[in-house]
Amino acid sequence: MSFYEDKIFPFFMEKATKTFRREIAELIAQAEGRVLEIGAGTGANLGFYSAAVTEVIGIEPVAAMLEKAQRVVQQTGHDFPVQLQVGDARALPFEDDSFDSVVACLVFCTIPDPEKAAAEAFRVLKPGGTLLALEHVLSERRWVQRLQKGMNPAWKHLACGCQLTRDTASIFRGAGFRLHKASHRRHPKLPAFAGELLDGALLKPS
């Protein structure tokens, strides 16, 4: 990793995700049982888990982010165990059907092979389990799509691989998920190119 990816980008990422704090808190409050958080980052989401959770395992590809997340774990003092580890969402080191909930907030825009990561999330979830996702996605409006596609080459360079043009709902459906309570909506406080969201719970059918 470069100095920018290790030291500068995590700072801006943490600031940017504060815009979604309310939405993320409401989403993560739905998690229960044994939870896998994909893209745990600096641990900003760890305080949102409820008493319905028995364990959280967080994976993150950037070790420098996990160093900050580990400090959050120590400060938060959860009643359930929290384990953080460097990992790749495209090759999860967990057995099939081993989690009750999988959490993914603002990560599928960046994963190089999102189809493989979605398939892995589906694999490790128990039948009837939920994928709780908040992702900015390709707009349904054509003029916004043109804007997103025009900005994407520069954006993904500055944002360490983040893509503005992912049709993440289709990716999840292709992996076998049902959208269940997830919906496509617009965030009122964000510019159009970054404010188109897939938000809610996706179900792994029993």
Side-chain angles (χ1 to χ4, degrees), residues 14-92:
E14 191 170 354
K15 294 293 183 183
T17 54
K18 288 183 178 180
T19 305
F20 299 97
R21 180 163 289 177
R22 180 178 61 83
E23 289 88 351
I24 291 174
E26 292 174 354
L27 183 72
I28 290 180
Q30 301 174 52
E32 59 184 17
R34 190 172 189 237
V35 179
L36 171 65
E37 182 172 343
I38 297 174
T42 58
N45 300 337
L46 292 174
F48 300 140
Y49 288 102
S50 75
V53 169
T54 58
E55 179 184 12
V56 173
I57 297 178
I59 66 162
E60 165 62 44
V62 181
M65 286 194 176
L66 285 185
E67 291 175 7
K68 292 185 178 181
Q70 194 60 58
R71 290 196 289 271
V72 173
V73 171
Q74 294 168 358
Q75 293 166 2
T76 305
H78 293 92
D79 293 330
F80 50 82
V82 178
Q83 177 184 334
L84 303 172
Q85 61 189 71
V86 174
D88 187 340
R90 299 167 297 178
L92 295 173

Side-chain angles (χ1 to χ4, degrees), residues 41 84 93 96-97 102 105 131 141 164 170 177 181 189 195 206:
L84 303 172
D96 297 357
D97 307 333
V102 173
C105 294
L131 169 63
R141 294 176 290 173
L164 296 171
S170 293
F177 288 103
K181 296 180 180 179
K189 295 183 180 180
S206 299

Side-chain angles (χ1 to χ4, degrees), residues 130-144:
T130 54
L131 169 63
L132 301 168
L134 177 71
E135 299 287 343
H136 68 83
V137 296
L138 182 68
S139 176
E140 296 175 332
R141 294 176 290 173
R142 290 188 177 181
W143 75 268
V144 180

